[in-house]
Amino acid sequence: MMIIYTIILAVALVVLLRASYYFLKLATHSKSYHVGAKKIFPWIEAGAWVFFVFWAADVHFRGSVIFTFLLASLALLLILLLGWFVLRDIIAGIVLRSVQTPQKGMVLRSDAIEGTIASLGILSLKVRNREGELVSVPYSRLAGQNITRPAERGRGQSQVIKLRVPQRYGAQKIQQILRKRMLSLPWVIAGGELKISLIPHQEHYVVEVSFQTVQEEMLAKTEELLHSFARENFPED
């Protein structure tokens, strides 16, 4: 019978926590309060479940031989889980800071996020993206990803690539598409000068793309990618 009661209480706890989160969102109309509530509530939820698990163990196994062993095992498991979630971010942060040496104000590009570093914490760093939003990124999320820290303005290698694109696609559209493609390349300096000039020649535009890269050796790869991109997006036929 106690097993049935335990299951009923577990279901009731799920419903209570979901309802509490819903009403918490309604109560925190201010965006700043809402963000704070979203950060705190998962800890409250985790604490409630930890208390429930230990309570259930006490109800069902108190007085038995395995009770002490079970409590010790649950406590050890809890410590290991907390240690894993905290230590993985600390270790990943140490590795990132020692290898990449990120600093406040630098532009950071990775597979996970792109933007300007606003601050660096122990477990995460905060990045302001292109939309102006402040995003907190755990260091563990950046581990094992390709990270590019663009060189400072004026310190990159200036490069120029020329293309031929049919005029029927329109000058503005050609510039927008090529600019978006160039900015998506991790070795192109985000803060560098990116200029796309179009010179009419018969039925084509001679497109001149001026940009800066972190390394001069990337010119050949960039040129190959850009010519292939132009053939796919601006076909002659």
Side-chain angles (χ1 to χ4, degrees):
M1 184 62 72
M2 286 302 301
I3 294 177
I4 297 175
Y5 288 150
T6 304
I7 294 173
I8 293 173
L9 285 174
V11 173
L13 182 59
V14 171
V15 174
L16 178 62
L17 289 173
R18 292 300 89 198
S20 300
Y21 183 67
Y22 175 75
F23 287 113
L24 189 63
K25 288 196 298 182
L26 294 179
T28 54
H29 297 291
S30 171
K31 185 176 180 181
S32 59
Y33 286 124
H34 180 59
V35 172
K38 286 181 67 176
K39 290 181 178 180
I40 295 172
F41 190 80
W43 292 101
I44 297 174
E45 191 173 20
W49 280 112
V50 168
F51 176 81
F52 176 81
V53 169
F54 277 95
W55 171 83
D58 180 69
V59 169
H60 289 281
F61 298 100
R62 175 172 287 278
S64 66
V65 178
I66 65 169
F67 179 67
T68 303
F69 174 76
L70 182 61
L71 285 183
S73 300
L74 289 173
L76 179 61
L77 179 61
L78 180 61
I79 293 171
L80 290 175
L81 287 174
L82 288 175
W84 164 246
F85 282 109
V86 174
L87 286 177
R88 65 173 183 173
D89 285 319
I90 293 176
I91 294 172
I94 293 172
V95 173
L96 180 67
R97 288 194 292 269
S98 63
V99 175
Q100 298 288 336
T101 60
Q103 297 177 19
K104 183 179 178 180
M106 287 184 173
V107 177
L108 178 70
R109 282 184 185 168
S110 74
D111 299 336
I113 190 71
E114 177 180 346
T116 304
I117 298 175
S119 64
L120 294 97
I122 299 175
L123 302 178
S124 64
L125 56 80
K126 291 186 178 180
V127 176
R128 192 171 299 278
N129 60 22
R130 291 184 178 181
E131 288 74 32
E133 300 171 334
L134 199 60
V135 182
S136 181
V137 185
Y139 290 119
S140 58
R141 190 180 173 194
L142 299 173
Q145 295 196 26
N146 295 320
I147 299 176
T148 302
R149 191 189 68 192
E152 296 178 10
R153 186 182 178 89
R155 295 183 62 183
Q157 300 293 328
S158 297
Q159 312 281 9
V160 178
I161 295 176
K162 290 186 177 181
L163 307 166
R164 278 171 56 88
V165 178
Q167 290 190 27
R168 67 174 180 271
Y169 293 103
Q172 186 176 2
K173 181 180 178 181
I174 294 170
Q175 287 179 321
Q176 289 176 345
I177 293 177
L178 289 177
R179 179 178 296 275
K180 184 177 180 180
R181 177 53 178 158
M182 290 299 295
L183 292 175
S184 70
L185 300 176
W187 54 84
V188 173
I189 299 175
E193 294 184 3
L194 175 58
K195 296 181 180 178
I196 301 176
S197 304
L198 280 71
I199 303 172
H201 180 71
Q202 297 179 357
E203 296 181 353
H204 291 76
Y205 284 119
V206 176
V207 183
E208 191 172 280
V209 183
S210 303
F211 60 99
Q212 290 182 325
T213 59
V214 178
Q215 295 178 336
E216 188 175 2
E217 293 77 11
M218 300 307 297
L219 176 60
K221 184 174 182 179
T222 307
E223 189 169 10
E224 180 184 350
L225 288 172
L226 203 58
H227 276 284
S228 176
F229 179 79
R231 286 194 297 270
E232 293 176 1
N233 290 268
F234 309 114
E236 294 285 344
D237 298 329

